[in-house]
Amino acid sequence: MASSSVKVAVRVRPFNSREMNRGAKCVIQMQDKSTCIINPKQPKEAPKNFTFDYSYWSHSSEEDPSFASQRKVYQDIGEEMLLHAFEGYNVCIFAYGQTGAGKSYTMMGKQDPGQQGIIPQMCEDLFRQTADNTDPDLSFSVEVSYMEIYCERVRDLLNPKSRGALRVREHPIMGPYVEDLSKMAVTNYSDIADLMDTGNKARTVAATNMNETSSRSHAVFTILFTQRRHDNMTSLDTEKVCEGANINKSLTTLGKVISALADMHGSKKRRSDFIPYRDSVLTWLLRENLGGNSRTAMIAALSPADINYEEILSTLRYADRAKQIKCNAVINEDPNARLVRELKEEVNRLKELLLSQGLSNLITASGKYTHTHSFWERCNKFCTPGFECVVVFLKTDSIRQEREALLAEMGVSVKEDGGTVGVFSPKRTPHLVNLNEDPLMSECLIYYIKDGVTRVGQEDVDIRLSGQFIKELHCVFCSEVNENNEVVVTLEPLVGAETYVNGKRITDGVVLKQGNRIVMGKNHVFRFNHPEQARLERERSATQEQQGEPVDWSYAQKELLEKQGIDIKQEMEKRLQDLESQYRKEKEEADQILEQQRLVRKDAV
Ligand code: ADP
Ligand code: MG
């Protein structure tokens, strides 16, 4: 048993474009292991200092000698944790911090070179190291699961059939687990990358349908790593199992648990029953990783901007408390390991017995023991049948096919280019790409606009947005080829449907152009891609500097609000003018009537 503290790192990200535009100030400074924060409202106040295992300065760029790259973070934290995984320890790395602070970037990262986060780098390394293995008696298997906890409900991101929430149960020995959560066997890194990618897509589809905000969802990616050693002498297989969990989000209970654990270790009190693990599904599932049988590392993601001062300080305080948590990790050995030891002892004892009775010729030249019948019986009882892992593989493959079929039915492309991960953009067919508040969930779904008429939101739809018929989204895309052999796509909203193009509500058909932003209903935000137009634009602007804000979810939202704001003002002014002229007209009429009545009365007198 190894008692070790939770490794704690903090990392500060660069300013985002909004912070840049607002002229935000950086309130964080770092030097070696120490991080210090300055109160922007009280600049004279002494800065607050914290010390961590690692303080990562990622606020600048690669040219800065003190810059901490994705690689650096992985080398410090990921490599050590992977080493522990090979030793047979449970391993957990989690990121903590406010929305937008850089948790997903640190854990998952991006697919561009040098931008991959801890999880992909670790998976890649894991397979590289198992591939290097030359020991014929040592074999490995890797299984992964990917779940999301949203509002205390667990969703299986790798199994399309599990629509509802999964149950969390407790095994008397293994502890809390998720019932029926699918585990996929993987044999190489690209398998894992595919699963992560489809998992992220499933997450996006579900989140869009429920109009969920990413700040309340917690993703847990688990790797079950089994090392199987075949003992030649006894013909037994022993397993070392290691579970590595990666969480990219956190919630208040996690904060409370960290706090309570820190208190417990600080005051030497042993009141583990007092830790509020059970208050949330996340902490309940990660009970062992937070203060139990695990080697655990936490990365607190920090925003650098002055406006976030309070949140940054509270994240730093949590991270500071987490340092005091002690985990008692044990190497996970299965009962076979003990049996092997016992049998070896028995073998030696029998050898000695044979020797002492002058029957050493029964021991073969290679030193191997010729075993007795009861010995084999014992072995067989404990050997796992070889075909079991084949069953697992078959299962994996059929679930994968189901999942791909389901996503395809929703209009989502999966691996059409023969296996590469990420968004596959068709060469000619215009399509919609989803935009999401969470960059990880943005641009991962593609909806094709085929030749002819594509309906959205109707029973006979060609596009079922996020797998559902959504009534208020009724609209039609018409795609045709004009005389210049160009594909022209027109968007027609149907009566009652709320459809916006570049922030303006449309009531008549519009011809869509490359890069147009389309908002349908309340939650469905897309960018229209016209590959041919895009190619032309690129050629035209090849000499010009690339510039401007990225056309992402925030861009589409900002534009929508601005346009709607301006339109509402225009509308109000027009209404006011209408009212004024109506009032004038009514007054004139009233005056006329009054005048006429006066004349009538005069006549009568
Ligand atoms: P969170 O998951 O904590 O809500 P994200 O990881 O999505 O936050 O980060 C928000 C944005 O900041 C993303 O666009 C991400 O790419 C960017 N970002 C975060 N950390 C870094 C970093 N260290 N370097 C560059 N960009 C980063
Ligand atoms: Mg995130």
Side-chain angles (χ1 to χ4, degrees), residues 11 13-14 58 98-105 110 249 438-439:
R11 185 183 199 190
R13 64 158 169 77
S58 300
Q98 70 184 108
T99 302
K103 297 180 291 295
S104 301
Y105 182 83
K110 296 179 183 168
K249 280 279 167 63
D438 187 337

Side-chain angles (χ1 to χ4, degrees), residues 99 148-155 157 163-165 200-219 249 435-438 441 466 468 522-525 553 557:
T99 302
E148 181 182 45
I149 306 168
Y150 190 88
C151 292
E152 296 303 294
R153 292 161 77 88
V154 180
R155 199 185 277 155
L157 293 179
R163 286 271 163 106
N200 287 336
K201 285 184 172 125
R203 203 178 158 206
T204 307
V205 166
T208 312
N209 278 347
M210 322 274 268
N211 193 21
E212 290 172 355
T213 48
S214 66
S215 55
R216 285 156 67 201
S217 89
H218 313 279
K249 280 279 167 63
L435 299 179
N436 192 290
E437 189 175 5
D438 187 337
M441 291 155 80
S466 313
Q468 281 191 352
K522 296 272 178 310
N523 319 326
H524 293 81
V525 185
W553 186 87
Q557 292 292 328

Side-chain angles (χ1 to χ4, degrees), residues 73-214:
V73 175
Y74 173 70
Q75 281 170 338
D76 287 344
I77 294 173
E79 281 184 1
E80 184 190 327
M81 289 298 158
L82 188 61
L83 196 72
H84 290 320
F86 273 95
E87 288 166 349
Y89 290 108
N90 287 340
V91 172
C92 172
I93 304 174
F94 70 95
Y96 181 87
Q98 70 184 108
T99 302
K103 297 180 291 295
S104 301
Y105 182 83
T106 297
M107 300 310 294
M108 287 287 187
K110 296 179 183 168
Q111 279 177 38
D112 312 325
Q115 303 269 314
Q116 291 194 327
I118 293 175
I119 298 176
Q121 289 189 74
M122 192 176 209
C123 295
E124 231 165 330
D125 234 14
L126 174 69
F127 283 111
R128 203 171 18 244
Q129 292 191 30
T130 54
D132 284 350
N133 168 47
T134 48
D135 185 344
D137 297 328
L138 190 61
S139 63
F140 305 92
S141 76
V142 181
E143 290 158 274
V144 298
S145 68
Y146 195 11
M147 67 176 139
E148 181 182 45
I149 306 168
Y150 190 88
C151 292
E152 296 303 294
R153 292 161 77 88
V154 180
R155 199 185 277 155
D156 188 343
L157 293 179
L158 300 184
N159 185 359
K161 275 197 171 164
S162 90
R163 286 271 163 106
L166 299 179
R167 281 183 17 159
V168 178
R169 310 192 63 168
E170 188 174 8
H171 185 277
I173 295 160
M174 312 296 269
Y177 69 100
V178 179
E179 193 178 45
D180 294 333
L181 180 70
S182 49
K183 275 201 210 110
M184 305 288 183
V186 285
T187 51
N188 53 46
Y189 172 66
S190 81
D191 279 355
I192 292 194
D194 278 0
L195 287 171
M196 283 195 282
D197 187 53
T198 31
N200 287 336
K201 285 184 172 125
R203 203 178 158 206
T204 307
V205 166
T208 312
N209 278 347
M210 322 274 268
N211 193 21
E212 290 172 355
T213 48
S214 66

Side-chain angles (χ1 to χ4, degrees), residues 213-249:
T213 48
S214 66
S215 55
R216 285 156 67 201
S217 89
H218 313 279
V220 181
F221 190 85
T222 306
I223 305 168
L224 187 72
F225 176 47
T226 307
Q227 301 178 68
R228 206 167 282 108
R229 182 170 281 285
H230 180 80
D231 193 87
N232 268 327
M233 191 173 181
T234 56
S235 271
L236 272 185
D237 290 328
T238 63
E239 285 185 355
K240 254 197 231 174
V241 182
C242 149
E243 251 183 85
N246 287 287
I247 322 141
N248 81 351
K249 280 279 167 63

Side-chain angles (χ1 to χ4, degrees), residues 293-326:
N293 177 14
S294 173
R295 298 274 194 164
T296 300
M298 159 175 167
I299 303 163
L302 306 174
S303 149
D306 46 0
I307 41 162
N308 294 322
Y309 175 77
E310 296 299 333
E311 283 99 334
I312 306 170
L313 188 58
S314 98
T315 303
L316 282 170
R317 286 192 169 133
Y318 273 130
D320 203 46
R321 309 207 78 177
K323 288 192 303 196
Q324 296 165 43
I325 303 175
K326 291 243 164 19

